[in-house]
Each structure stands twice: as structure tokens, then as C-alpha cells.
């Protein structure tokens, strides 16, 4: 193994350890925010960083083609310029539109294979409402279950919601987190 490979590997391990530590401390504080904050909403603050958010807005090339009906985007803040580019590709969303968010259930928690939330999610740009009518259709078909506790710290959802709220202030969402099977 070459010296540069060792240095690169060591620096990546330090970064991963740092990110792991940072995410654990953020997770603990988010639990307090959810429990002590408004019990009628779920906070995204544990997955939001204002500097990263603002930098991604200034460094991203927004898509001039707003034709996409759906996009696949990363959910880690390290890829925030890609999040911005993907969300900016969505066709103009009218106030009645709903975005269905599909995320891995990283903690593999919940009482069913696909967990969802029936509570609004608070972001730094306001609350993102749940499309309860569409959610009811999923509930009747038994494709999802409501498990606010299991989904409240899912960063795959919480990272994306501030961007959606920023670009489309009136949008409603239907968050889904799928367990590993």
C-alpha cells in the first residue's frame, strides 16, 4: 500500500468517526426538541445545517428544465448541491401537489415494513404538512402504518424537507421510510 493511500484512508476514518459522533449528539438533542417542543409536529433540526444549506443554494446550478415528475436525490448534507439541483428539476408544484418521500429506514425501527408520519414536520422555513387524504388511501390498503416515534429521527426524510419547504412553500408531503428486509 502506498503512503498516499494510507493517508487518505486514515483521514476518511477520522471524518467518519467525527460525523458519527456529531450525528449521535444531534440525535440526542433532537429527541429533546421533539419531546419538549410542539408535540404536534416533528422537528428536522437534527438533520439541518444552515451554513451547508445556504452554501448549497449559492453553489448549485439550478435546473432550467422544470419538467421532472420525480427525482432520485441523495439525503446526506455532504451532497447538498445535488439535493438542490434535483429538487429544482421538479416541475412547478401547485399548492395542491404532494411529494412522496421514499427513504431507507436507517434504524430499521417501526411496527411495519413502511412507516409514515401523520404529524407535520417543522423546518427552519415553516411546517411541512402531511397530505392526509393520500395517506388515508395508503393506510386503507395496509401498505404503510403510522409510527411517529420510529420515523421522527429518520435523516433520509428530515434532510430533504427544509429544501422542499424552501423551494415550494405550499407543498404537502407523504413521508415513507422502508425497513431493511
Amino acid at each position: 500500500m502506498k503512503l498516499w493511500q494510507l493517508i487518505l484512508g486514515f483521514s476518511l476514518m477520522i471524518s467518519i468517526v467525527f460525523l458519527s459522533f456529531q450525528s449521535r449528539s444531534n440525535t440526542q438533542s433532537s429527541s429533546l426538541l421533539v419531546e419538549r417542543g410542539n408535540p404536534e409536529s416533528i422537528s428536522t433540526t437534527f438533520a439541518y445545517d444552515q451554513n451547508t444549506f445556504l452554501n448549497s443554494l449559492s453553489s448549485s446550478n439550478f435546473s432550467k428544465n422544470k419538467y421532472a415528475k420525480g427525482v432520485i436525490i441523495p439525503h446526506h448534507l455532504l451532497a447538498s448541491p445535488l439535493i438542490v439541483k434535483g429538487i429544482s428539476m421538479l416541475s412547478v408544484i401547485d399548492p395542491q401537489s404532494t411529494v412522496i418521500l421514499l427513504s431507507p429506514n436507517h434504524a430499521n425501527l417501526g411496527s411495519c415494513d413502511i412507516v409514515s408520519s401523520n404529524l407535520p414536520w417543522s423546518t427552519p422555513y415553516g411546517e411541512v404538512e402531511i397530505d392526509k387524504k393520500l395517506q388515508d388511501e395508503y393506510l386503507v390498503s395496509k401498505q404503510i402504518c403510522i409510527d411517529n416515534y420510529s420515523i421522527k429521527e429518520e435523516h433520509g426524510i428530515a434532510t430533504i424537507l427544509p429544501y422542499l419547504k424552501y423551494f415550494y412553500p405550499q407543498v404537502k408531503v407523504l413521508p415513507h421510510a422502508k425497513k431493511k428486509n
Side-chain angles (χ1 to χ4, degrees):
M1 195 176 264
K2 296 182 180 176
L3 180 61
W4 69 270
Q5 290 173 322
L6 286 171
I7 292 171
L8 180 63
F10 183 72
S11 63
L12 284 174
M13 286 187 344
I14 289 174
S15 299
I16 291 168
V17 169
F18 175 74
L19 291 172
S20 173
F21 174 75
Q22 185 179 20
S23 90
R24 279 193 198 127
S25 63
N26 286 343
T27 300
Q28 291 169 351
S29 65
S30 71
S31 297
L32 295 175
L33 287 172
V34 172
E35 291 167 10
R36 293 183 184 173
N38 180 1
E40 302 299 317
S41 69
I42 299 173
S43 176
T44 62
T45 56
F46 72 95
Y48 176 80
D49 178 74
Q50 185 174 13
N51 290 332
T52 303
F53 184 88
L54 295 175
N55 287 337
S56 67
L57 293 177
S58 64
S59 69
S60 295
N61 295 327
F62 295 100
S63 176
K64 293 181 175 71
N65 301 322
K66 296 196 174 268
Y67 56 85
K69 298 284 185 198
V71 292
I72 298 173
I73 54 177
H75 59 266
H76 291 279
L77 288 178
L78 291 172
S80 56
L82 293 174
I83 295 171
V84 169
K85 186 162 185 144
I87 289 176
S88 73
M89 289 174 63
L90 290 172
S91 57
V92 178
I93 296 177
D94 65 39
Q96 286 75 40
S97 291
T98 296
V99 172
I100 299 174
L101 290 175
L102 305 173
S103 170
N105 184 335
H106 290 87
N108 215 32
L109 295 174
S111 53
C112 66
D113 285 340
I114 302 174
V115 294
S116 190
S117 168
N118 61 358
L119 298 176
W121 291 66
S122 70
T123 75
Y125 305 99
E127 285 194 345
V128 179
E129 296 295 324
I130 302 297
D131 185 334
K132 298 210 178 194
K133 183 178 176 187
L134 181 58
Q135 187 175 61
D136 286 344
E137 292 177 31
Y138 278 92
L139 289 168
V140 167
S141 69
K142 305 215 184 286
Q143 295 177 23
I144 65 169
C145 68
I146 301 299
D147 193 336
N148 292 312
Y149 179 79
S150 296
I151 203 170
K152 75 179 181 178
E153 293 186 18
E154 180 49 62
H155 71 273
I157 293 168
T159 300
I160 303 301
L161 289 175
Y163 290 95
L164 279 173
K165 185 66 174 178
Y166 178 85
F167 281 101
Y168 308 106
Q170 301 302 314
V171 73
K172 290 184 178 180
V173 298
L174 188 54
H176 291 159
K178 172 129 179 39
K179 285 174 130 180
K180 304 168 200 160
N181 293 22

